[in-house]
Each structure stands twice: as structure tokens, then as C-alpha cells.
Amino acid sequence: MQAYNFCTPTAVYFGKGKINVLPEVIKKHGTRVLLVYGGGSIKKQGIYQKIHELLADCQIYELQGVEPNPRITSVRDGAQMCKDHNIEVILAAGGGSVLDCAKAIAAGAKYDGDPWDLVLDNSLVKDALPLCTILTLSATGSEFDWGAVISNLETNEKLALISDHLFPAASILDPSYTYSVSAYQTAAGGCDIMSHIFEQYFVLGSSIVNDGLCESIVRSVMINTKKALEKPDDEQARSELMWASSLACNGICSLGNTPSPWVCHAIEHELSGYYDITHGIGLAILTPRFMRYSLNDSTVKRFANFAVRVMDVTPNDDLYSVANEGIDRLFAFYEEIGVPMHLKDVGIDDKHFEAMAEHAIKFAPLDMAIRPLDKDDVVAILKDCL
């Protein structure tokens, strides 16, 4: 195993009714609160009203309307609100986009310049306001990690903002808040969780402990995504998806492994940077093609192990046939849960592939992937997705 340092400063409150701890976790940091949320679903669910009831003696300012693939424009607005109103703590209520936006706001509130500077150069993040979260969608893992992804529509860029200052101070995870998530977003969320695991699992050096964690989480997500699609208020299924989301992205599953960049995420960021598609859907379209492209003598045993242990392929001496069958079954699973599995199905053609590939290799170390990639490789993968 490789040497590692690890710290998870986020306090997690998991279970039905855990929102009642909100006054306790907020008032550790202050009473001047910026509430960040999206299109209003938290009002339909009663979360918005409950927040105001529990924080009746706090002064609450609101930034609403945060978009999927959150925009730097929303971050700028939120950071300015924090400065104008002397905000002491940020409360994000929503899915990963809301939480990501709130993280960038937390950093931007402590920065004198344009928050986009922080996205372009993460080392500029020196401090951030404390952040608490209430999760309503199981997908990105932003409730339990130190990263965010922000889009700039003016430049067609979607880039990561990562800093130890961005761990939430506390996250409230109530699975019942995800019952109303649409079938499409439930499927997309499952794909996102699985991608986080794949890109920690498909490395050249790992341990039995990490392999077991990754394999069991992927199997759980596959089983429980289908259960949640069949019965949206299945509490056990929603609970497992919510916890899998948190575990998949905070680094636990990769401790001691050899490093590998999140290649599918880097390439998908180009797709949603240009076309604003749902992140998990883009990942699902890319993942089997990237896997097939990465299959070679150095990686085939890894993919064959995945096929046998996760996709229930019968082992045999032909590792390539086993590995390919595993990839085929993964593709079929995505189709089964309703994912459109070609870029043309989501309105994307090859117009920007060259520019996407150029940008992807600029901002991600794709030469460190399980199979190193260059610009031409990225273009080939994208074309295979059409």
C-alpha cells in the first residue's frame, strides 16, 4: 500500500428527522446565515419551512435558483452577499450542484478577487466560511468531501475547485428527502456514484480492503438504484444510495492505492461545459467506452476481476472475454435504468470534440490514467460515444 494522510472533519447526522440538529450545528458558527438552494423543491418538501422554524432566532439571507452544473455567476452573487451582510455560516439545502455552489461561495467570501480565480488556481483558497449541508439528492458526494465543480458558460469551462478548507462542518443526511427525486435524476445519481468508485478502483495498485469496499459499493448502488426506481419511497434503498454517495467521493475507498486521475469526470466536464447535460448521464455514456479503450495486457486482469466480482461474469482463462463481458453487462445495466447511451441521444455531435479534448488534457493529468491518454485518445473515446 502507498503512504497516505487522511482526515474527515465533517460531522454526519444520518437518518430520518436529523434536521432537528440544525440549530445545534449552525449556532456553533454564528447566527447570520446564508441559505443556498435551487429551484424550490425544498419548499415543496417542507424543508425550507422547517429550516426557518428551527432557525427562527437567526438572521437568514437567501440565494435561490442555483442551477444544475452550478454557474460562476451564482457563486459571485453569493460571495458578494456574504460580504455585504457579514455572513457567518452558509447553509446549503439541495443536491450536489447546490452544495458545490455553496462551497465556492464559502471560499469566494474570503477572497478579495473574482471567485473564478479560485477555480482556475485552487491554491488561492486560503480560508472559507463554515458550511453546513442538508442533502436532497444522492449523487456527487459533495456532502462529505472537499471538492466542488463550477461552470463558466462564457468560456465553456467546467472545472474542479478542491481545497481542505471546503469540507462541510456538518451534513444532515435524511434519506426521506430523496423520495421525490425523479426517475431520471435517480438513475443519473447512481451513475455518478458508480463513476466515483470506478475511478478509484481501476488503478494499477490497490489493496484487498479497498477492492472490497469499491466492489460492495458498486453492487449496492446497482441493486438499490433499481429498487428506488421501482419504489421511490423505499427507505432502505434510498438510505444505501445516500451513504454510498458519501463514501464514494471522500477518498476512503482509495487510501493506499496508486493514484489515478478521474478521467471520465474530466472528459464529461467538457461535455457538460459545452452542452450543460446532466453530469451522471454523461458519465454513463463515457464509462463503458473508456473501459473498453483502456483494456490492454496491463489492465485486463483488473477489468476481469471487476467482471467476475461485480458483474457476476463466470470466470474462465480468457481474461479478455471475461473483461469484455463485464463491460457489456455494465452497458446493459445503464440501459436498463433508462440512461440514453449515445451522445446523439442527448443532442451532442462531434462539432467541439477537438476543443474538448484539448481542454481536457490541459486541466487533468490524463497521462496518469490506467491507460495514459492524449488528445487523440480523448477524441477517439468521444467519437465512440456517438
Side-chain angles (χ1 to χ4, degrees):
M1 289 182 66
Q2 306 291 306
Y4 63 84
N5 299 327
F6 185 71
C7 176
T8 302
T10 303
V12 172
Y13 299 86
F14 187 99
K16 199 167 185 178
K18 287 294 185 178
I19 195 172
N20 290 310
V21 305
L22 190 59
E24 171 191 341
V25 301
I26 288 291
K27 291 176 185 177
K28 288 180 180 178
H29 309 288
T31 58
R32 299 179 66 84
V33 182
L34 178 66
L35 173 61
V36 180
Y37 59 101
S41 63
I42 65 168
K43 293 181 178 178
K44 296 177 183 177
Q45 295 173 286
I47 299 171
Y48 175 87
Q49 294 83 350
K50 188 68 173 178
I51 289 170
H52 279 272
E53 173 190 323
L54 292 170
L55 301 181
D57 54 352
C58 291
Q59 194 163 358
I60 300 177
Y61 299 86
E62 298 184 14
L63 177 70
Q64 61 180 310
V66 172
E67 317 85 349
N69 298 316
R71 318 281 199 262
I72 189 60
T73 49
S74 294
V75 174
R76 288 169 178 146
D77 290 344
Q80 191 60 50
M81 289 179 69
C82 290
K83 294 172 181 177
D84 291 345
H85 301 292
N86 297 315
I87 296 298
E88 297 171 307
V89 55
I90 298 173
L91 174 61
S97 292
V98 171
L99 273 58
D100 280 10
C101 184
K103 287 180 179 179
I105 290 170
K110 293 287 189 175
Y111 179 68
D112 288 337
D114 182 2
W116 187 244
D117 297 344
L118 307 178
V119 181
L120 293 174
D121 183 356
N122 295 179
S123 70
L124 295 175
V125 180
K126 304 299 183 184
D127 196 5
L129 286 175
L131 168 68
C132 299
T133 79
I134 302 171
L135 188 65
T136 63
L137 174 64
S138 303
T140 69
S142 193
E143 68 278 3
F144 201 39
D145 73 10
W146 59 102
V149 179
I150 305 299
S151 296
N152 188 331
L153 299 187
E154 294 179 358
T155 60
N156 293 319
E157 290 179 303
K158 181 178 178 181
L159 300 172
L161 173 61
I162 299 172
S163 169
D164 287 345
H165 296 289
L166 301 183
F167 277 102
S171 286
I172 296 169
L173 311 183
D174 184 336
S176 70
Y177 291 162
T178 66
Y179 291 173
S180 62
V181 174
S182 70
Y184 189 77
Q185 290 297 337
T186 296
C191 297
D192 197 356
I193 299 168
M194 291 168 65
S195 184
H196 288 153
I197 291 295
F198 290 154
E199 291 164 346
Q200 298 172 83
Y201 181 78
F202 289 106
V203 296
L204 295 178
S206 65
S207 69
I208 294 173
V209 171
N210 288 348
D211 284 356
L213 286 171
C214 290
E215 291 158 2
S216 64
I217 289 173
V218 172
R219 291 180 68 94
S220 173
V221 171
M222 293 176 69
I223 291 167
N224 288 295
T225 297
K226 290 196 286 187
K227 286 184 176 181
L229 290 172
E230 293 167 3
K231 188 174 183 288
D233 62 349
D234 185 325
E235 183 175 359
Q236 183 64 25
R238 293 292 188 179
S239 295
E240 293 215 29
L241 288 173
M242 182 167 272
W243 190 223
S245 167
S246 297
L247 290 176
C249 199
N250 78 334
I252 286 176
C253 294
S254 64
L255 296 178
N257 284 4
T258 54
S260 175
W262 291 9
V263 171
C264 286
H265 270 74
I267 300 173
E268 198 290 322
H269 288 169
E270 300 303 317
L271 292 174
S272 48
Y274 274 84
Y275 293 96
D276 202 28
I277 67 169
T278 301
H279 180 54
I281 300 303
L283 290 171
I285 294 170
L286 284 162
T287 295
R289 279 81 174 202
F290 167 72
M291 288 180 167
R292 196 94 64 190
Y293 200 84
S294 299
L295 199 55
N296 57 31
D297 289 348
S298 298
T299 64
V300 65
K301 184 176 181 180
R302 193 76 180 143
F303 283 102
N305 285 343
F306 166 75
V308 172
R309 297 173 186 172
V310 179
M311 305 309 299
D312 295 324
V313 176
T314 302
N316 64 61
D317 292 337
D318 186 348
L319 293 183
Y320 277 94
S321 71
V322 172
N324 277 304
E325 177 64 21
I327 296 169
D328 288 343
R329 292 190 184 190
L330 178 65
F331 190 101
F333 166 77
Y334 288 141
E335 289 188 313
E336 182 182 358
I337 62 173
V339 176
M341 286 303 293
H342 297 85
L343 290 179
K344 63 183 180 182
D345 297 333
V346 291
I348 297 177
D349 58 24
D350 63 356
K351 179 179 179 181
H352 300 293
F353 282 1
E354 292 284 337
M356 289 177 181
E358 188 77 42
H359 196 263
I361 64 172
K362 176 181 177 182
F363 282 95
L366 302 190
D367 58 330
M368 293 176 59
I370 190 169
R371 173 186 168 175
L373 304 179
D374 59 20
K375 176 184 173 181
D376 292 340
D377 295 321
V378 175
V379 171
I381 292 170
L382 288 168
K383 286 183 175 180
D384 193 36
C385 293
L386 287 170

